[in-house]
Amino acid sequence: MGLFRTALIGAALYGAYKYITRPDELTGRTIIDDLKDKAPEWIDKAKGYKENLEAKYTTDDLPR
């Protein structure tokens, strides 16, 4: 059973790898290329969310 499960997981990973690295017919870009281009925007958004949460939940503003 363990060998079958390992083979099934390996086949699924191989299929996913082939899917995300397959170039698009129209543009010639892969899903990985699109993710690489969008990653900096997502990092900037995450930093903004972090700063907002830090400003909202700072302990310096609480009354004593």
Side-chain angles (χ1 to χ4, degrees), residues 4-52:
F4 177 70
R5 183 176 56 193
T6 303
L8 188 62
I9 291 171
L13 289 174
Y14 177 74
Y17 174 78
K18 293 297 281 185
Y19 178 75
I20 63 174
T21 58
R22 181 182 61 207
D24 187 21
E25 294 176 2
L26 296 176
T27 61
R29 295 179 52 86
T30 64
I31 294 174
I32 295 291
D33 294 334
D34 293 337
L35 290 174
K36 285 181 185 178
D37 291 342
K38 293 178 184 176
E41 297 171 23
W42 293 338
I43 290 172
D44 291 337
K45 283 184 183 179
K47 286 180 182 177
Y49 290 133
K50 177 188 165 218
E51 291 171 359
N52 288 341

Side-chain angles (χ1 to χ4, degrees), residues 52-64:
N52 288 341
L53 288 174
E54 284 179 345
K56 185 176 179 181
Y57 294 110
T58 56
T59 57
D60 296 337
D61 297 336
L62 296 176
R64 293 185 190 233

